[in-house]
Amino acid sequence: MFDNNLVIAFIPARGGSKGLPGKNLMTIAGKNMIERAATSATDWPGGSKVDVCVVSSDDEAILAAAKAAGCVTHERSAFAASDEATAADVIRDYFQSPEVMLEGDPWIVYLQPTSPARTGAHVAAAFGLIESGARAAVSVTTPEKSPYWTLNVNEQGELTPLFPQAFESNRQSLAAAYIPNGAVYIFKLSDFLAAGAVPVQNAAAFIMSREESVDIDTQEDFDKAKALLER
């Protein structure tokens, strides 16, 4: 509990994956991705604020792994399991389900299972931003290449800078840029429902290193994460 409201960890884990089939049940350092995500929700230094951990999936094996990890399971709808569904669709699919009865305005801690380097210490530190007064928090990292040098190509094959001022400045004068790494999103359910999306604007930044931000989408990503976490 926090601020007299439930804290719900929400782990989205679709069964299908075109990039790396079965990735959510692949194992690193003795734990599959569902177990690792669930542990990051409940194993915090000083004790977790999470009251319940929910895994949403369309896959029986994933739902079974979620139960084994001590999570509440939710079998998502056909649309929420489709290629067209967004993260927001998956969240709505659970929280607007008739069987989900909630009081108050819960805090949602959204944890994708494909961020295996995220730990309970990371999630606890991100939640510390909420305890300090932030309305939402998002984990970010620095991109490998600065987005200020991004270019568009028009139909004539001509280049247009997305940030023209960057080409008139030296690199050191440009503000630091960050991208969401997908590891941790924390927000109020009411803010999500009002926005129709995960709140990012004006959210507090929880900065993680690139190494900590590994996101598994391909076999190469998995091999990199495995080498990092089993060394």
Side-chain angles (χ1 to χ4, degrees):
M1 295 283 289
F2 176 69
D3 197 26
N4 294 318
N5 285 299
L6 285 174
V7 178
I8 301 173
F10 186 83
I11 301 171
R14 186 178 170 211
S17 172
K18 294 180 180 179
L20 183 59
K23 64 182 180 182
N24 286 321
L25 290 177
M26 296 177 78
T27 299
I28 293 178
K31 290 184 177 180
N32 62 48
M33 300 300 145
I34 302 301
E35 291 177 284
R36 297 187 73 88
T39 298
S40 74
T42 58
D43 187 13
W44 296 9
S48 176
K49 292 285 196 304
V50 171
D51 297 291
V52 60
C53 181
V54 175
V55 173
S56 167
S57 184
D58 58 328
D59 185 273
E60 290 185 5
I62 290 176
L63 293 172
K67 286 182 179 178
C71 297
V72 171
T73 60
H74 172 70
E75 186 172 354
R76 64 179 65 173
S77 67
F79 172 71
S82 69
D83 290 338
E84 293 75 28
T86 64
D89 291 325
V90 173
I91 296 169
R92 273 192 297 270
D93 182 64
Y94 174 72
F95 286 99
Q96 295 183 342
S97 296
E99 67 270 22
V100 178
M101 305 293 289
L102 296 172
E103 294 183 0
D105 186 12
W107 291 92
I108 313 304
V109 181
Y110 183 94
L111 306 169
Q112 68 175 18
T114 51
S115 296
R118 174 203 53 230
T119 66
H122 290 123
V123 184
F127 202 85
L129 298 172
I130 301 298
E131 294 175 300
S132 296
R135 184 76 177 187
V138 176
S139 62
V140 296
T141 193
T142 54
E144 291 186 10
K145 295 185 178 180
S146 173
Y148 292 114
W149 307 109
T150 305
L151 301 165
N152 284 329
V153 180
N154 64 21
E155 293 180 356
Q156 289 73 43
E158 299 167 337
L159 295 171
T160 302
L162 205 58
F163 302 98
Q165 68 275 17
F167 290 82
E168 303 168 1
S169 308
N170 59 48
R171 180 171 55 85
Q172 290 77 12
S173 67
L174 298 174
Y178 299 90
I179 55 173
N181 66 1
V184 186
Y185 293 87
I186 306 174
F187 50 91
K188 296 279 279 187
L189 178 59
S190 61
D191 291 341
F192 165 78
L193 294 175
V198 174
V200 173
Q201 183 72 31
N202 297 323
F206 177 65
I207 301 173
M208 297 173 64
S209 70
R210 290 181 193 169
E211 191 174 65
E212 294 168 331
S213 300
V214 60
D215 180 14
I216 295 176
D217 191 47
T218 66
Q219 184 65 48
E220 182 181 2
D221 295 332
F222 177 78
D223 293 341
K224 178 181 177 181
K226 191 176 179 67
L228 169 67
L229 298 171
E230 293 184 351
R231 64 186 180 190

